[in-house]
């Protein structure tokens, strides 16, 4: 994920951390890059269980797998 793609997510993760949706100790730069990589993967790599064209399915996937990763204590 290029720097621009990661930078795009920075403001959203800062707001999510302030709202308590992301762990308080999350390194925003690292998390931004990770989110960018996950989103690129979801959009470009075909899968057996997720249809990337189905926005409801993608949202469910993000809520089920991505958000718990952002809520987890990064020290673990």
């Amino acid at each position: 994920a290029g720097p621009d793609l990661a930078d795009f997510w920075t403001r959203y993760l800062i707001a999510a951390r302030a709202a308590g949706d992301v762990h308080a100790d999350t390194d925003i730069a690292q998390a931004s890059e990770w989110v960018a990589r996950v989103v690129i993967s979801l959009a470009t790599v075909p899968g057996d269980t997720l249809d990337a064209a189905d926005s409801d399915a993608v949202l469910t996937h993000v809520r089920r797998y991505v958000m718990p990763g952002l809520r987890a204590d990064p020290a673990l």
Side-chain angles (χ1 to χ4, degrees), residues 14-75:
I14 289 170
R17 185 174 60 184
D21 294 329
V22 170
H23 195 281
D25 295 334
T26 296
D27 180 307
I28 295 297
Q30 288 179 353
S32 295
E33 181 176 341
W34 179 70
V35 169
R37 289 177 181 276
V38 169
V39 169
I40 289 168
S41 175
L42 287 173
T44 62
V45 178
D48 294 330
T49 61
L50 176 65
D51 177 4
D54 181 344
S55 60
D56 289 335
V58 172
L59 181 58
T60 297
H61 193 84
V62 167
R63 286 181 175 154
R64 184 174 292 148
Y65 299 107
V66 176
M67 291 310 298
L70 292 169
R71 288 187 193 108
D73 184 344

